[in-house]
Amino acid sequence: MTTSTHTGGDMDVKGVMGSISFDGEWITITKKEVGQQERQYRIRAADVTGTRLKPATRLFHGYVQFVLPGSAPATEEKGLMAGGRPPQSDPHTLSIRHSANDAAAMLMAAVEQARG
């Protein structure tokens, strides 16, 4: 089940094989790929130069993506299994299920507001 909490400025979005939390200043993306150790990526909201949100449908996962200075957004992979999402290996992108669309939109709005 996908949950979102918003207590004391903290927001969490449960994604596909990972999650994103935002405390008002830092974004933490936690990912667990099959057969690998869990990895965390921390990004300061002030360092984000762009955000991308592709809402999921009932058939295909969507994604949340953060763009940083000096890097281009990861491109969407084509094909039935990828469903138009960037690769799982991209550290600044997390795939989301349809049930997480609202929580992801709220998190993205909070990050945009924190960017200034």
Side-chain angles (χ1 to χ4, degrees):
M1 180 169 181
T2 303
T3 59
S4 170
T5 57
H6 192 186
T7 55
D10 289 358
M11 301 183 83
D12 298 294
V13 174
K14 187 172 181 343
V16 178
M17 297 193 305
S19 63
I20 298 176
S21 62
F22 179 57
D23 66 6
E25 182 180 359
W26 288 92
I27 303 158
T28 304
I29 301 172
T30 304
K31 295 180 120 179
K32 174 76 170 108
E33 293 186 52
V34 176
Q36 294 192 6
Q37 294 280 357
E38 183 176 277
R39 295 181 296 170
Q40 280 194 344
Y41 305 94
R42 287 178 48 90
I43 306 166
R44 236 172 35 113
D47 294 337
V48 172
T49 58
T51 58
R52 293 172 70 188
L53 171 63
K54 180 177 182 179
T57 66
R58 295 208 183 275
L59 295 177
F60 295 103
H61 293 143
Y63 65 87
V64 171
Q65 184 178 74
F66 302 98
V67 182
L68 299 173
S71 67
T75 57
E76 295 180 357
E77 292 185 336
K78 303 298 178 210
L80 190 57
M81 293 303 288
R85 292 173 289 150
Q88 171 69 11
S89 60
D90 178 47
H92 307 125
T93 303
L94 183 71
S95 296
I96 58 170
R97 293 177 177 86
H98 183 262
S99 58
N101 282 344
D102 291 343
M106 289 190 322
L107 182 132
M108 295 300 261
V111 169
E112 285 292 334
Q113 186 175 7
R115 286 179 53 205

